[in-house]
Amino acid sequence: MSETSQNNYDEYWMMRALELADQAKSINEIPVGAVVVKDNQLIASGFNQSILTNDPSAHAEMLAIRQAGKVLNNYRLIDCKLYVTLEPCPMCAGLLVHSRLDEIIFGASDLKTGACGSVMNLAQHERLNHQLNIRGGVLAELCGNKLSEFFKQRRAEIKKQKQLKRKLELGS
């Protein structure tokens, strides 16, 4: 496959993951989306739902991988790729190793908790029994902007709530 056609596939699947990130945002979750692809076919998808479900493991990657295992009727996701809008955290990177994915393709790097190269690299750790190919930066600006805008809006809402609380306290 030529580099151009690979880039086209990567952008296509990352756009699908970004659509899922929008679904997460619509329910007030951190906007992260993920898709599992095999032979350029969608196998499974997920978006963050930790707040909604009160489940700290309900990350986009986790939900997509769980669904893919059921669809493929196998806990090993051989010949599969995961596209996700944000670099996976250590929990998710460990899951990716255990699922035997071939490749992880992510959009924005996570400089606080990224475990596919930014803070650490669990997905390619030499002592683990499986290492994944990693490619980051696919539509990174779009992915990063979506997250930045979400947190900017969340901070503005918190500031507004604090101001309202002060007004109420002063008024009583």
Side-chain angles (χ1 to χ4, degrees):
M1 178 182 313
S2 74
E3 187 176 327
T4 303
S5 52
Q6 182 61 57
N7 288 342
N8 290 341
Y9 284 130
D10 288 348
E11 289 182 8
Y12 173 80
W13 291 116
M14 193 61 72
M15 288 302 295
R16 296 288 299 268
L18 281 162
E19 290 169 8
L20 292 160
D22 288 337
Q23 288 183 28
K25 183 182 177 192
S26 75
I27 58 171
N28 227 10
E29 292 278 354
I30 296 172
V32 177
V35 296
V36 176
V37 175
K38 183 174 182 170
D39 299 324
N40 206 37
Q41 298 294 312
L42 178 67
I43 302 299
S45 62
F47 56 88
N48 275 7
Q49 296 180 43
S50 295
I51 298 166
L52 177 71
T53 61
N54 296 310
D55 178 358
S57 72
H59 289 193
E61 304 95 306
M62 185 78 65
L63 298 174
I65 295 295
R66 286 176 183 160
Q67 184 183 46
K70 290 177 183 173
V71 168
L72 296 174
N73 199 31
N74 195 338
Y75 73 100
R76 290 187 172 177
L77 305 180
I78 308 296
D79 298 326
C80 291
K81 298 178 181 186
L82 176 81
Y83 289 84
V84 62
T85 57
L86 179 65
E87 179 182 359
C89 71
M91 173 184 69
C92 293
L95 171 72
L96 303 179
V97 169
H98 284 293
S99 70
R100 307 298 197 276
L101 279 169
D102 280 357
E103 189 166 25
I104 166 82
I105 300 98
F106 65 86
S109 295
D110 185 343
L111 302 178
K112 293 182 180 179
T113 63
C116 290
S118 291
V119 175
M120 63 187 81
N121 192 346
L122 288 176
Q124 293 180 330
H125 194 283
E126 64 196 32
R127 300 214 36 202
L128 296 177
N129 63 339
H130 178 72
Q131 290 83 36
L132 293 85
N133 292 320
I134 299 172
R135 286 188 291 123
V138 174
L139 300 180
E141 191 172 341
L142 276 173
C143 295
N145 287 344
K146 188 172 295 294
L147 288 158
S148 295
E149 288 178 23
F150 175 81
F151 286 113
K152 181 179 177 182
Q153 182 181 357
R154 184 174 266 184
R155 285 189 298 274
E157 288 170 5
I158 291 169
K159 183 177 178 181
K160 189 175 178 181
Q161 288 173 355
K162 285 181 180 179
Q163 289 172 343
L164 180 60
K165 183 178 177 184
R166 275 192 219 117
K167 283 183 181 179
L168 292 172
E169 288 171 352
L170 292 173
S172 40

